[in-house]
Amino acid sequence: MHQTPIINKHVLAFDIDQTLNIAKTPIPPEMAEVLTKCLNHFEICPISGQKFEQFLIQIVDPLKTAGATDEELSHLHLFVAQGTQYYRYDSEKNDWEQVYNYPLKDTDIAKITETLEAAARKLGYWEEDQLAEGDEIIENRLSQITFSALGQSAGTEVKYAWDPDCKKREAIVDECRKILPDFLYEIGGTTSINVAAPGMNKEFGMKHLLEELNVQKSDILYFGDMTQPGGNDYPVVQMGIDTITVRSHEDTLYALRGILGVIAGQ
């Protein structure tokens, strides 16, 4: 574990979309450069509802392009599907290994999928005609099911415009809870709803982070854009973990450059 004097933190944890990048796009080169520098001082832990392959596209590949070494990547920890899956880098094998996974039962996957589609169709929010070829609205991420109203491949502008105040997704969630109440529903990203077993939110993921990295809550600084009550970052706030609320990846970049500047001056 790195020992970094700055604010007595050893771990920087992050939401992804809207915090490290523009939704569903790779982190920009300047963010990759700064995060690579941070890997020399902190354990870096992105935690998001994204699937593993998306972590690779959005975070890992840009870091490699920025020159991150195997040693640096060994300090990157991927907490996938809100931390219900955890991957770490094996520098000897030059590959990622899955440490744990808490998948949903097949019967639950079927029930959640049917309920999400039924609710969206009833409310007029099933946008199948907007999908790119080969894309899908409902995605099985093993330990969670994710509804993405316009699919994964839709352009950023149309995604931002679809539900900026979250009212459409709130209505879908309300409808789903009438049919299938015994699951966790979280609104995230720009068009997404994540559905998982009860308790499988970011609090679950952060508790496992504490265990896997052998750190205390006071060792962590968390960055997220949905830290308000009901947001998918709010469980981290409720845990008492120090949190910085950001509006965009530019805010995060500004804060990280400030942290690195303090380290350089020590």
Side-chain angles (χ1 to χ4, degrees):
M1 179 66 61
H2 298 308
Q3 297 297 315
T4 304
I6 175 68
I7 51 178
N8 297 318
K9 302 300 182 185
H10 304 308
V11 177
L12 300 182
F14 303 88
D15 174 50
I16 298 181
D17 283 350
Q18 311 295 102
T19 300
L20 292 177
N21 61 337
I22 296 171
K24 296 296 184 293
T25 65
I27 60 174
E30 58 270 25
M31 180 66 78
E33 180 182 347
V34 166
L35 282 178
T36 299
K37 292 177 181 177
C38 287
L39 287 167
N40 291 288
H41 303 283
F42 302 94
E43 304 300 309
I44 301 298
C45 302
I47 176 169
S48 166
Q50 307 280 20
K51 61 184 179 180
F52 172 65
E53 290 78 10
Q54 200 68 19
F55 274 70
L56 298 181
I57 293 169
Q58 292 187 216
I59 297 177
V60 176
D61 289 348
L63 288 177
K64 288 182 176 179
T65 299
T69 64
D70 286 345
E71 168 60 25
E72 288 166 337
L73 290 175
S74 70
H75 297 290
L76 178 65
H77 308 268
L78 309 181
F79 287 87
V80 173
Q82 308 295 45
T84 56
Q85 303 167 37
Y86 167 45
Y87 293 80
R88 65 187 172 203
Y89 192 73
D90 186 330
S91 56
E92 293 184 1
K93 297 180 180 178
N94 299 323
D95 203 1
W96 294 92
E97 62 172 352
Q98 186 181 80
V99 179
Y100 67 71
N101 181 19
Y102 291 86
L104 288 161
K105 298 177 183 177
D106 289 344
T107 52
D108 288 341
I109 290 170
K111 286 189 291 186
I112 293 167
T113 301
E114 291 168 7
T115 301
L116 281 167
E117 181 172 347
R121 286 187 182 278
K122 179 179 178 179
L123 295 167
Y125 299 145
W126 186 258
E127 308 275 2
E128 197 169 24
D129 59 327
Q130 302 295 319
L131 291 179
E133 185 176 352
D135 208 349
E136 55 189 352
I137 294 174
I138 298 176
E139 186 177 26
N140 177 7
R141 296 181 179 175
L142 302 180
S143 52
Q144 82 178 22
I145 305 300
T146 296
F147 170 93
S148 296
L150 305 178
Q152 296 295 312
S153 303
T156 300
E157 288 188 10
V158 294
K159 283 193 170 188
Y160 280 121
W162 189 78
D163 188 28
D165 58 4
C166 300
K167 297 300 183 185
K168 292 179 180 179
R169 284 171 289 169
E170 287 173 358
I172 294 171
V173 168
D174 287 344
E175 191 66 30
C176 286
R177 284 184 173 136
K178 295 176 187 176
I179 306 167
L180 200 65
D182 296 330
F183 287 89
L184 173 71
Y185 297 88
E186 286 191 329
I187 292 171
T190 53
T191 66
S192 296
I193 300 167
N194 298 319
V195 187
M200 294 296 198
N201 58 11
K202 282 188 178 176
E203 180 179 3
F204 176 93
M206 294 300 288
K207 284 180 176 177
H208 277 272
L209 183 157
L210 294 169
E211 180 180 336
E212 295 292 341
L213 275 63
N214 191 28
V215 295
Q216 304 298 315
K217 287 189 285 188
S218 59
D219 293 321
I220 303 170
L221 181 61
Y222 181 83
F223 294 78
D225 70 306
M226 298 190 76
T227 58
Q228 75 282 4
N232 63 10
D233 298 311
Y234 188 61
V236 184
V237 177
Q238 288 183 302
M239 290 177 69
I241 291 172
D242 288 337
T243 301
I244 293 178
T245 301
V246 297
R247 295 165 299 176
S248 66
H249 69 278
E250 287 94 347
D251 288 352
T252 306
L253 190 63
Y254 180 84
L256 293 179
R257 283 174 171 160
I259 290 170
L260 289 172
V262 172
I263 292 172
Q266 290 178 337

